Amino acid sequence: MSRIFEAAEVAEHSEKNDCYIIINDKVYDTTKFMSEHPGGGDIILDHAGRDASNDFEAAGHSKTAYDMLEKYYVGDLKVDPNARKGSFSAAIPVVVALLGAAAAVATYVALQ
């Protein structure tokens, strides 16, 4: 059985000599990997103690990189079943702002 980490516990590992990151609700001890990372250790340190999922995926890592994660896996993140990742409610302010901007542009164009 894998260890379950609270987010606050992962956050305690945010130093160069003690660095955990979260990727897709899995916790990795990347301390020893930082010096080997092709993009440099600083990019990992920038995410130390936090969720690096979005940036890890956006970087376009290879299948090999995903496979390498297994070596550094130390447990799973305790996920709040009431929290909804990427929920629509979190996006509402952005959607409202975009719709408002679109309406303003449409009004401006119509008045020209």
Side-chain angles (χ1 to χ4, degrees):
M1 184 172 172
S2 63
R3 181 166 173 202
I4 304 298
F5 288 86
E6 299 274 347
E9 187 177 4
V10 176
E12 293 173 5
H13 300 272
S14 59
E15 305 292 326
K16 188 173 186 171
N17 62 347
D18 181 23
C19 181
Y20 285 18
I21 60 171
I22 301 164
I23 299 176
N24 298 325
D25 297 332
K26 296 198 179 296
V27 179
Y28 300 93
D29 180 351
T30 56
T31 307
K32 294 179 181 175
F33 178 67
M34 287 197 305
S35 63
E36 301 170 20
H37 186 261
D42 287 344
I43 197 144
I44 295 173
L45 195 55
D46 287 346
H47 297 86
R50 314 186 280 120
D51 192 321
S53 302
N54 291 337
D55 288 338
F56 184 85
E57 292 172 11
H61 283 96
S62 65
K63 180 182 179 328
T64 303
Y66 279 89
D67 292 344
M68 286 178 68
L69 286 174
E70 292 178 32
K71 180 178 178 181
Y72 302 99
Y73 172 78
V74 291
D76 294 307
L77 181 67
K78 181 178 181 182
V79 179
D80 180 355
N82 297 318
R84 293 173 31 206
K85 273 190 171 180
S87 68
F88 180 73
S89 61
I92 289 175
V94 175
V95 171
V96 168
L98 291 173
L99 290 174
V105 170
T107 301
Y108 176 79
V109 170
L111 292 174
Q112 295 302 314

